[in-house]
Amino acid sequence: MISTVNEYIIETSPTEVHTRCAESSFIPLSLCLSLLKDLETSIEVVAEQIYGEKNKWNLIAITEAVKACIRLVIFRKTGYKMLLEGGETENGENDSASFSLQETKRQLGKPTGNEEPGISKTLHAQNSRNLEDREISALSSFVKKATMQHPQAIVEPPSKLAERPSLWTFLSKKGVPGGFFVTGEILFIIRPLVYVLLMRNYGTRSWFPWCVSLAVDLIGNSILSVTLMSQHSGKNQQLQFSDSEKDELKRRRMLWALYIMRDPLFTKYSRQRLESTQRLVQPIPILGFVAEKIIEILIGVQTRYTYISGS
């Protein structure tokens, strides 16, 4: 949690605060979401110790409901842009501008062949001092914002602040692809909450929560994929996906691998496969020991919902 707060302070330094549209409010929603994710495993353990294995799902459901509400607010505040890393990473600038900025920095920081060693060292020292000044300025800015309780973005000229469209304005501008996009994002946001509520009612041995969760994931991702494909085919010029958003879609598909770790599939199939693999490689001296420890870790991880939730 300390590392999360430290990273947030550095990332919201004065040199970048003017470009931050999503976090212009006093309450840093992305920071709240990251801290809640850092705490959720502890919440699950405490809930299990106090209320038992069956009743722990009540507190987990409350945690997922809070996360879903935070993500919906972030989705609204960013002007209905795709949530990167579940809302923990800001999606406030287009990738072309970001790429140009990074390329410019790389070219400026790259020494030329005619550059003297002394000049190179001087530039490196100046860059180091600039980084230190930026960190000190970021810390003072964060403390000032916390004590005076006013948005840091107030110093930004109003003309540079992006106006957040309403849902109706967004749908009117983006048309049918925009409606599909919003539907897909909402399904992604509410999927963990739906899964936990079903687990609370039907239990870990039922296939119904597992199938419903997978169906919501497949439907939501399929909607977004169809919207992306229409962009590539030239049919959709109203809604454009950036490179970071395309990477986010790939990341969400990779999270589907967690379904093999969730009950009842894990208990009835995955665990048996792991144990048979362990018996197969057990006679091999080093490999058998390593495989045993890896399988032991996987079985231990599977006992905690928060480790395999993908939310």
Side-chain angles (χ1 to χ4, degrees), residues 17-72:
V17 70
H18 302 310
T19 62
R20 295 177 62 85
C21 300
E23 297 297 337
S24 57
S25 60
F26 172 69
I27 302 177
L29 295 176
S30 61
L31 177 61
C32 295
L33 185 61
S34 299
L35 293 177
L36 184 57
K37 292 188 67 174
D38 291 336
L39 277 173
E40 61 183 1
T41 303
S42 299
I43 293 175
E44 180 181 0
V45 172
V46 172
E48 184 175 346
Q49 292 292 327
I50 296 177
Y51 302 108
E53 174 69 25
K54 185 177 181 180
N55 295 324
K56 73 174 183 179
W57 295 104
N58 295 326
L59 199 54
I60 295 177
I62 295 175
T63 304
E64 289 294 352
V66 173
K67 288 163 62 177
C69 291
I70 293 176
R71 285 174 175 141
L72 288 173

Short mmCIF file of all heavy atoms in Angstrom, two decimals, residues 17-72:
data_model
loop_
_atom_site.label_atom_id
_atom_site.label_comp_id
_atom_site.label_asym_id
_atom_site.label_seq_id
_atom_site.Cartn_x
_atom_site.Cartn_y
_atom_site.Cartn_z
N VAL A 17 0.33 16.85 -14.22
CA VAL A 17 -1.00 17.02 -13.67
C VAL A 17 -1.91 17.74 -14.65
O VAL A 17 -3.12 17.55 -14.63
CB VAL A 17 -0.93 17.78 -12.33
CG1 VAL A 17 -0.55 19.22 -12.54
CG2 VAL A 17 -2.25 17.66 -11.58
N HIS A 18 -1.34 18.57 -15.54
CA HIS A 18 -2.18 19.32 -16.46
C HIS A 18 -2.76 18.44 -17.55
O HIS A 18 -3.70 18.83 -18.20
CB HIS A 18 -1.36 20.45 -17.09
CG HIS A 18 -0.78 21.40 -16.08
ND1 HIS A 18 -1.54 21.96 -15.08
CD2 HIS A 18 0.47 21.87 -15.91
CE1 HIS A 18 -0.78 22.76 -14.33
NE2 HIS A 18 0.44 22.71 -14.82
N THR A 19 -2.15 17.28 -17.75
CA THR A 19 -2.67 16.37 -18.77
C THR A 19 -3.60 15.32 -18.19
O THR A 19 -4.10 14.49 -18.91
CB THR A 19 -1.52 15.65 -19.49
OG1 THR A 19 -0.81 14.85 -18.54
CG2 THR A 19 -0.59 16.65 -20.13
N ARG A 20 -3.80 15.37 -16.89
CA ARG A 20 -4.62 14.35 -16.25
C ARG A 20 -6.06 14.85 -16.19
O ARG A 20 -6.39 15.77 -15.46
CB ARG A 20 -4.14 14.05 -14.83
CG ARG A 20 -2.76 13.42 -14.82
CD ARG A 20 -2.30 13.19 -13.39
NE ARG A 20 -3.16 12.29 -12.68
CZ ARG A 20 -3.05 10.98 -12.71
NH1 ARG A 20 -2.12 10.42 -13.45
NH2 ARG A 20 -3.86 10.22 -12.02
N CYS A 21 -6.92 14.22 -16.98
CA CYS A 21 -8.32 14.61 -17.02
C CYS A 21 -9.14 13.77 -16.04
O CYS A 21 -10.09 14.25 -15.44
CB CYS A 21 -8.89 14.45 -18.43
SG CYS A 21 -8.01 15.45 -19.65
N ALA A 22 -8.75 12.49 -15.92
CA ALA A 22 -9.55 11.58 -15.11
C ALA A 22 -9.43 11.87 -13.63
O ALA A 22 -10.36 11.67 -12.87
CB ALA A 22 -9.13 10.13 -15.39
N GLU A 23 -8.25 12.36 -13.19
CA GLU A 23 -8.01 12.55 -11.77
C GLU A 23 -7.99 14.02 -11.41
O GLU A 23 -7.22 14.44 -10.57
CB GLU A 23 -6.67 11.89 -11.39
CG GLU A 23 -6.65 10.40 -11.61
CD GLU A 23 -7.65 9.67 -10.74
OE1 GLU A 23 -8.04 10.22 -9.70
OE2 GLU A 23 -8.05 8.57 -11.11
N SER A 24 -8.80 14.84 -12.05
CA SER A 24 -8.84 16.26 -11.75
C SER A 24 -9.60 16.53 -10.46
O SER A 24 -9.52 17.61 -9.91
CB SER A 24 -9.49 17.03 -12.90
OG SER A 24 -10.79 16.53 -13.15
N SER A 25 -10.35 15.59 -9.96
CA SER A 25 -11.07 15.77 -8.72
C SER A 25 -10.15 15.53 -7.54
O SER A 25 -9.07 14.98 -7.67
CB SER A 25 -12.26 14.80 -8.66
OG SER A 25 -11.83 13.47 -8.73
N PHE A 26 -10.62 15.94 -6.35
CA PHE A 26 -9.78 15.80 -5.17
C PHE A 26 -9.59 14.34 -4.79
O PHE A 26 -8.54 13.94 -4.32
CB PHE A 26 -10.40 16.59 -4.01
CG PHE A 26 -9.71 16.34 -2.70
CD1 PHE A 26 -8.42 16.80 -2.49
CD2 PHE A 26 -10.33 15.63 -1.70
CE1 PHE A 26 -7.78 16.57 -1.29
CE2 PHE A 26 -9.69 15.39 -0.50
CZ PHE A 26 -8.41 15.87 -0.29
N ILE A 27 -10.63 13.53 -4.95
CA ILE A 27 -10.54 12.12 -4.56
C ILE A 27 -9.88 11.32 -5.68
O ILE A 27 -10.43 11.22 -6.78
CB ILE A 27 -11.94 11.55 -4.26
CG1 ILE A 27 -12.62 12.35 -3.16
CG2 ILE A 27 -11.84 10.08 -3.87
CD1 ILE A 27 -14.04 11.90 -2.85
N PRO A 28 -8.70 10.75 -5.44
CA PRO A 28 -8.03 9.94 -6.48
C PRO A 28 -8.66 8.56 -6.55
O PRO A 28 -8.30 7.65 -5.81
CB PRO A 28 -6.58 9.89 -5.99
CG PRO A 28 -6.67 10.05 -4.51
CD PRO A 28 -7.89 10.90 -4.23
N LEU A 29 -9.60 8.38 -7.45
CA LEU A 29 -10.34 7.13 -7.51
C LEU A 29 -9.45 5.95 -7.89
O LEU A 29 -9.63 4.85 -7.36
CB LEU A 29 -11.49 7.27 -8.52
CG LEU A 29 -12.57 8.28 -8.15
CD1 LEU A 29 -13.59 8.41 -9.27
CD2 LEU A 29 -13.26 7.89 -6.85
N SER A 30 -8.51 6.17 -8.81
CA SER A 30 -7.62 5.08 -9.19
C SER A 30 -6.76 4.63 -8.02
O SER A 30 -6.48 3.43 -7.87
CB SER A 30 -6.73 5.51 -10.36
OG SER A 30 -5.93 6.62 -10.00
N LEU A 31 -6.35 5.58 -7.17
CA LEU A 31 -5.58 5.23 -5.98
C LEU A 31 -6.44 4.44 -5.00
O LEU A 31 -5.99 3.45 -4.41
CB LEU A 31 -5.03 6.49 -5.32
CG LEU A 31 -4.24 6.28 -4.01
CD1 LEU A 31 -3.02 5.41 -4.25
CD2 LEU A 31 -3.84 7.62 -3.41
N CYS A 32 -7.69 4.86 -4.80
CA CYS A 32 -8.60 4.13 -3.92
C CYS A 32 -8.79 2.70 -4.41
O CYS A 32 -8.81 1.75 -3.62
CB CYS A 32 -9.94 4.85 -3.84
SG CYS A 32 -9.87 6.48 -3.05
N LEU A 33 -8.93 2.55 -5.73
CA LEU A 33 -9.12 1.22 -6.30
C LEU A 33 -7.89 0.35 -6.09
O LEU A 33 -8.00 -0.84 -5.74
CB LEU A 33 -9.44 1.35 -7.78
CG LEU A 33 -9.78 0.06 -8.53
CD1 LEU A 33 -11.02 -0.59 -7.94
CD2 LEU A 33 -10.00 0.34 -10.01
N SER A 34 -6.70 0.91 -6.29
CA SER A 34 -5.47 0.15 -6.10
C SER A 34 -5.30 -0.27 -4.64
O SER A 34 -4.91 -1.41 -4.36
CB SER A 34 -4.27 0.98 -6.56
OG SER A 34 -4.36 1.31 -7.92
N LEU A 35 -5.58 0.64 -3.71
CA LEU A 35 -5.46 0.30 -2.29
C LEU A 35 -6.47 -0.76 -1.88
O LEU A 35 -6.16 -1.64 -1.07
CB LEU A 35 -5.64 1.56 -1.45
CG LEU A 35 -4.56 2.63 -1.58
CD1 LEU A 35 -4.91 3.86 -0.75
CD2 LEU A 35 -3.19 2.08 -1.16
N LEU A 36 -7.67 -0.69 -2.44
CA LEU A 36 -8.68 -1.71 -2.13
C LEU A 36 -8.25 -3.08 -2.64
O LEU A 36 -8.45 -4.10 -1.96
CB LEU A 36 -10.02 -1.32 -2.74
CG LEU A 36 -11.22 -2.23 -2.42
CD1 LEU A 36 -11.42 -2.33 -0.91
CD2 LEU A 36 -12.48 -1.71 -3.08
N LYS A 37 -7.62 -3.11 -3.82
CA LYS A 37 -7.13 -4.39 -4.35
C LYS A 37 -5.97 -4.91 -3.51
O LYS A 37 -5.78 -6.12 -3.39
CB LYS A 37 -6.71 -4.21 -5.80
CG LYS A 37 -7.87 -3.96 -6.75
CD LYS A 37 -7.44 -3.98 -8.19
CE LYS A 37 -7.01 -5.36 -8.62
NZ LYS A 37 -6.71 -5.43 -10.07
N ASP A 38 -5.16 -4.00 -2.93
CA ASP A 38 -4.09 -4.44 -2.04
C ASP A 38 -4.65 -5.05 -0.75
O ASP A 38 -4.01 -5.90 -0.13
CB ASP A 38 -3.18 -3.26 -1.69
CG ASP A 38 -2.38 -2.79 -2.89
OD1 ASP A 38 -2.17 -3.60 -3.82
OD2 ASP A 38 -1.95 -1.62 -2.91
N LEU A 39 -5.83 -4.60 -0.35
CA LEU A 39 -6.42 -5.04 0.91
C LEU A 39 -7.36 -6.24 0.78
O LEU A 39 -7.70 -6.86 1.79
CB LEU A 39 -7.20 -3.88 1.55
CG LEU A 39 -6.41 -2.85 2.36
CD1 LEU A 39 -7.32 -1.71 2.75
CD2 LEU A 39 -5.80 -3.49 3.59
N GLU A 40 -7.80 -6.55 -0.45
CA GLU A 40 -8.90 -7.49 -0.60
C GLU A 40 -8.56 -8.90 -0.11
O GLU A 40 -9.44 -9.60 0.41
CB GLU A 40 -9.36 -7.54 -2.06
CG GLU A 40 -8.31 -7.98 -3.04
CD GLU A 40 -8.82 -7.93 -4.48
OE1 GLU A 40 -9.98 -7.54 -4.69
OE2 GLU A 40 -8.05 -8.30 -5.39
N THR A 41 -7.32 -9.33 -0.25
CA THR A 41 -6.96 -10.66 0.26
C THR A 41 -7.03 -10.70 1.78
O THR A 41 -7.52 -11.68 2.37
CB THR A 41 -5.55 -11.05 -0.21
OG1 THR A 41 -5.50 -11.02 -1.64
CG2 THR A 41 -5.19 -12.45 0.27
N SER A 42 -6.58 -9.63 2.43
CA SER A 42 -6.69 -9.55 3.89
C SER A 42 -8.15 -9.54 4.32
O SER A 42 -8.51 -10.15 5.33
CB SER A 42 -5.97 -8.29 4.40
OG SER A 42 -4.60 -8.33 4.07
N ILE A 43 -8.97 -8.83 3.54
CA ILE A 43 -10.41 -8.81 3.85
C ILE A 43 -11.00 -10.21 3.77
O ILE A 43 -11.79 -10.62 4.62
CB ILE A 43 -11.14 -7.85 2.89
CG1 ILE A 43 -10.69 -6.40 3.16
CG2 ILE A 43 -12.65 -7.98 3.05
CD1 ILE A 43 -11.26 -5.40 2.18
N GLU A 44 -10.60 -10.96 2.75
CA GLU A 44 -11.12 -12.32 2.60
C GLU A 44 -10.68 -13.21 3.75
O GLU A 44 -11.47 -14.00 4.29
CB GLU A 44 -10.65 -12.92 1.27
CG GLU A 44 -11.14 -14.33 1.05
CD GLU A 44 -10.66 -14.93 -0.26
OE1 GLU A 44 -9.94 -14.24 -1.00
OE2 GLU A 44 -11.00 -16.10 -0.53
N VAL A 45 -9.41 -13.10 4.15
CA VAL A 45 -8.90 -13.94 5.24
C VAL A 45 -9.62 -13.61 6.55
O VAL A 45 -10.04 -14.51 7.30
CB VAL A 45 -7.38 -13.74 5.40
CG1 VAL A 45 -6.87 -14.45 6.65
CG2 VAL A 45 -6.64 -14.26 4.17
N VAL A 46 -9.77 -12.31 6.84
CA VAL A 46 -10.46 -11.90 8.08
C VAL A 46 -11.91 -12.35 8.05
O VAL A 46 -12.45 -12.84 9.06
CB VAL A 46 -10.36 -10.37 8.24
CG1 VAL A 46 -11.24 -9.91 9.40
CG2 VAL A 46 -8.91 -9.95 8.48
N ALA A 47 -12.57 -12.20 6.88
CA ALA A 47 -13.97 -12.62 6.78
C ALA A 47 -14.12 -14.12 7.02
O ALA A 47 -15.07 -14.56 7.67
CB ALA A 47 -14.51 -12.24 5.40
N GLU A 48 -13.17 -14.91 6.50
CA GLU A 48 -13.24 -16.36 6.70
C GLU A 48 -13.01 -16.73 8.15
O GLU A 48 -13.65 -17.65 8.68
CB GLU A 48 -12.22 -17.05 5.79
CG GLU A 48 -12.28 -18.55 5.86
CD GLU A 48 -11.34 -19.22 4.87
OE1 GLU A 48 -10.85 -18.52 3.96
OE2 GLU A 48 -11.08 -20.42 5.01
N GLN A 49 -12.08 -16.02 8.81
CA GLN A 49 -11.80 -16.32 10.22
C GLN A 49 -12.98 -15.95 11.12
O GLN A 49 -13.27 -16.64 12.10
CB GLN A 49 -10.55 -15.55 10.67
CG GLN A 49 -9.26 -16.02 10.03
CD GLN A 49 -8.87 -17.41 10.48
OE1 GLN A 49 -9.13 -17.80 11.61
NE2 GLN A 49 -8.24 -18.17 9.60
N ILE A 50 -13.68 -14.85 10.79
CA ILE A 50 -14.76 -14.37 11.67
C ILE A 50 -16.09 -15.03 11.33
O ILE A 50 -16.81 -15.50 12.22
CB ILE A 50 -14.88 -12.83 11.55
CG1 ILE A 50 -13.59 -12.17 12.06
CG2 ILE A 50 -16.08 -12.33 12.34
CD1 ILE A 50 -13.59 -10.66 11.92
N TYR A 51 -16.42 -15.10 10.03
CA TYR A 51 -17.75 -15.55 9.63
C TYR A 51 -17.77 -16.97 9.08
O TYR A 51 -18.86 -17.53 8.87
CB TYR A 51 -18.32 -14.60 8.58
CG TYR A 51 -18.42 -13.17 9.05
CD1 TYR A 51 -17.56 -12.21 8.57
CD2 TYR A 51 -19.38 -12.80 9.99
CE1 TYR A 51 -17.65 -10.89 9.00
CE2 TYR A 51 -19.48 -11.49 10.43
CZ TYR A 51 -18.60 -10.53 9.93
OH TYR A 51 -18.68 -9.24 10.37
N GLY A 52 -16.62 -17.55 8.80
CA GLY A 52 -16.58 -18.90 8.28
C GLY A 52 -16.51 -18.94 6.76
O GLY A 52 -16.70 -17.93 6.07
N GLU A 53 -16.25 -20.13 6.24
CA GLU A 53 -16.06 -20.30 4.80
C GLU A 53 -17.31 -19.94 4.00
O GLU A 53 -17.23 -19.35 2.93
CB GLU A 53 -15.67 -21.76 4.52
CG GLU A 53 -15.57 -22.12 3.05
CD GLU A 53 -14.40 -21.45 2.36
OE1 GLU A 53 -13.42 -21.09 3.05
OE2 GLU A 53 -14.47 -21.26 1.13
N LYS A 54 -18.47 -20.28 4.52
CA LYS A 54 -19.70 -20.06 3.78
C LYS A 54 -20.14 -18.61 3.78
O LYS A 54 -20.59 -18.07 2.76
CB LYS A 54 -20.81 -20.95 4.35
CG LYS A 54 -22.11 -20.90 3.58
CD LYS A 54 -23.14 -21.86 4.16
CE LYS A 54 -24.44 -21.81 3.35
NZ LYS A 54 -25.45 -22.75 3.90
N ASN A 55 -20.01 -17.94 4.92
CA ASN A 55 -20.51 -16.57 5.06
C ASN A 55 -19.48 -15.51 4.67
O ASN A 55 -19.81 -14.32 4.70
CB ASN A 55 -20.96 -16.32 6.50
CG ASN A 55 -22.16 -17.17 6.88
OD1 ASN A 55 -23.03 -17.43 6.06
ND2 ASN A 55 -22.19 -17.63 8.13
N LYS A 56 -18.26 -15.91 4.32
CA LYS A 56 -17.26 -14.92 3.93
C LYS A 56 -17.65 -14.21 2.64
O LYS A 56 -17.18 -13.10 2.36
CB LYS A 56 -15.89 -15.58 3.77
CG LYS A 56 -15.75 -16.44 2.52
CD LYS A 56 -14.35 -16.95 2.33
CE LYS A 56 -14.21 -17.75 1.03
NZ LYS A 56 -12.83 -18.24 0.82
N TRP A 57 -18.50 -14.86 1.84
CA TRP A 57 -18.88 -14.29 0.54
C TRP A 57 -19.67 -13.00 0.70
O TRP A 57 -19.74 -12.20 -0.24
CB TRP A 57 -19.68 -15.31 -0.27
CG TRP A 57 -18.85 -16.50 -0.64
CD1 TRP A 57 -18.90 -17.74 -0.08
CD2 TRP A 57 -17.84 -16.56 -1.67
NE1 TRP A 57 -17.98 -18.58 -0.68
CE2 TRP A 57 -17.33 -17.87 -1.67
CE3 TRP A 57 -17.34 -15.63 -2.57
CZ2 TRP A 57 -16.33 -18.28 -2.53
CZ3 TRP A 57 -16.35 -16.03 -3.45
CH2 TRP A 57 -15.85 -17.34 -3.43
N ASN A 58 -20.29 -12.77 1.85
CA ASN A 58 -21.01 -11.52 2.06
C ASN A 58 -20.05 -10.33 2.02
O ASN A 58 -20.30 -9.33 1.34
CB ASN A 58 -21.75 -11.55 3.41
CG ASN A 58 -22.84 -12.60 3.44
OD1 ASN A 58 -23.49 -12.86 2.43
ND2 ASN A 58 -23.06 -13.20 4.60
N LEU A 59 -18.92 -10.44 2.74
CA LEU A 59 -17.96 -9.35 2.78
C LEU A 59 -17.22 -9.22 1.45
O LEU A 59 -16.90 -8.11 1.01
CB LEU A 59 -16.96 -9.58 3.92
CG LEU A 59 -16.16 -8.35 4.40
CD1 LEU A 59 -17.10 -7.22 4.76
CD2 LEU A 59 -15.28 -8.71 5.58
N ILE A 60 -16.96 -10.35 0.79
CA ILE A 60 -16.33 -10.30 -0.52
C ILE A 60 -17.25 -9.62 -1.53
O ILE A 60 -16.80 -8.84 -2.39
CB ILE A 60 -15.96 -11.72 -0.99
CG1 ILE A 60 -14.89 -12.33 -0.08
CG2 ILE A 60 -15.45 -11.70 -2.42
CD1 ILE A 60 -14.53 -13.76 -0.42
N ALA A 61 -18.56 -9.89 -1.42
CA ALA A 61 -19.52 -9.26 -2.31
C ALA A 61 -19.55 -7.74 -2.11
O ALA A 61 -19.65 -6.96 -3.07
CB ALA A 61 -20.92 -9.85 -2.09
N ILE A 62 -19.47 -7.31 -0.85
CA ILE A 62 -19.43 -5.87 -0.57
C ILE A 62 -18.18 -5.25 -1.18
O ILE A 62 -18.22 -4.16 -1.78
CB ILE A 62 -19.47 -5.62 0.95
CG1 ILE A 62 -20.82 -6.09 1.53
CG2 ILE A 62 -19.23 -4.16 1.28
CD1 ILE A 62 -20.91 -5.99 3.04
N THR A 63 -17.04 -5.94 -1.06
CA THR A 63 -15.80 -5.44 -1.65
C THR A 63 -15.91 -5.31 -3.16
O THR A 63 -15.52 -4.30 -3.75
CB THR A 63 -14.63 -6.38 -1.30
OG1 THR A 63 -14.54 -6.53 0.13
CG2 THR A 63 -13.31 -5.83 -1.82
N GLU A 64 -16.46 -6.33 -3.82
CA GLU A 64 -16.61 -6.27 -5.27
C GLU A 64 -17.62 -5.19 -5.68
O GLU A 64 -17.46 -4.56 -6.73
CB GLU A 64 -17.06 -7.64 -5.80
CG GLU A 64 -15.99 -8.71 -5.75
CD GLU A 64 -14.82 -8.43 -6.68
OE1 GLU A 64 -14.90 -7.48 -7.49
OE2 GLU A 64 -13.82 -9.16 -6.60
N ALA A 65 -18.65 -4.98 -4.87
CA ALA A 65 -19.62 -3.92 -5.18
C ALA A 65 -18.97 -2.54 -5.11
O ALA A 65 -19.23 -1.68 -5.97
CB ALA A 65 -20.80 -4.00 -4.21
N VAL A 66 -18.12 -2.33 -4.11
CA VAL A 66 -17.41 -1.05 -4.01
C VAL A 66 -16.48 -0.86 -5.20
O VAL A 66 -16.42 0.23 -5.79
CB VAL A 66 -16.63 -0.99 -2.68
CG1 VAL A 66 -15.75 0.26 -2.63
CG2 VAL A 66 -17.58 -1.00 -1.49
N LYS A 67 -15.76 -1.92 -5.58
CA LYS A 67 -14.87 -1.82 -6.75
C LYS A 67 -15.65 -1.53 -8.03
O LYS A 67 -15.21 -0.74 -8.87
CB LYS A 67 -14.06 -3.12 -6.89
CG LYS A 67 -12.99 -3.29 -5.83
CD LYS A 67 -12.51 -4.73 -5.74
CE LYS A 67 -11.87 -5.21 -7.01
NZ LYS A 67 -11.35 -6.59 -6.87
N ALA A 68 -16.81 -2.17 -8.18
CA ALA A 68 -17.62 -1.93 -9.37
C ALA A 68 -18.11 -0.48 -9.41
O ALA A 68 -18.11 0.15 -10.48
CB ALA A 68 -18.80 -2.90 -9.39
N CYS A 69 -18.53 0.05 -8.27
CA CYS A 69 -18.99 1.44 -8.22
C CYS A 69 -17.86 2.41 -8.56
O CYS A 69 -18.06 3.39 -9.31
CB CYS A 69 -19.56 1.75 -6.84
SG CYS A 69 -21.11 0.90 -6.46
N ILE A 70 -16.66 2.15 -8.02
CA ILE A 70 -15.52 3.01 -8.32
C ILE A 70 -15.20 2.98 -9.80
O ILE A 70 -14.93 4.01 -10.44
CB ILE A 70 -14.30 2.59 -7.48
CG1 ILE A 70 -14.54 2.85 -5.99
CG2 ILE A 70 -13.05 3.34 -7.93
CD1 ILE A 70 -13.44 2.37 -5.09
N ARG A 71 -15.23 1.79 -10.39
CA ARG A 71 -14.92 1.66 -11.83
C ARG A 71 -15.98 2.36 -12.69
O ARG A 71 -15.64 2.97 -13.71
CB ARG A 71 -14.81 0.19 -12.20
CG ARG A 71 -13.51 -0.43 -11.73
CD ARG A 71 -13.46 -1.91 -11.97
NE ARG A 71 -12.17 -2.46 -11.61
CZ ARG A 71 -11.97 -3.63 -11.02
NH1 ARG A 71 -13.02 -4.39 -10.74
NH2 ARG A 71 -10.76 -4.04 -10.73
N LEU A 72 -17.24 2.29 -12.29
CA LEU A 72 -18.28 2.98 -13.04
C LEU A 72 -18.09 4.49 -12.98
O LEU A 72 -18.29 5.20 -13.97
CB LEU A 72 -19.66 2.60 -12.49
CG LEU A 72 -20.14 1.18 -12.81
CD1 LEU A 72 -21.44 0.88 -12.06
CD2 LEU A 72 -20.35 1.00 -14.31
#
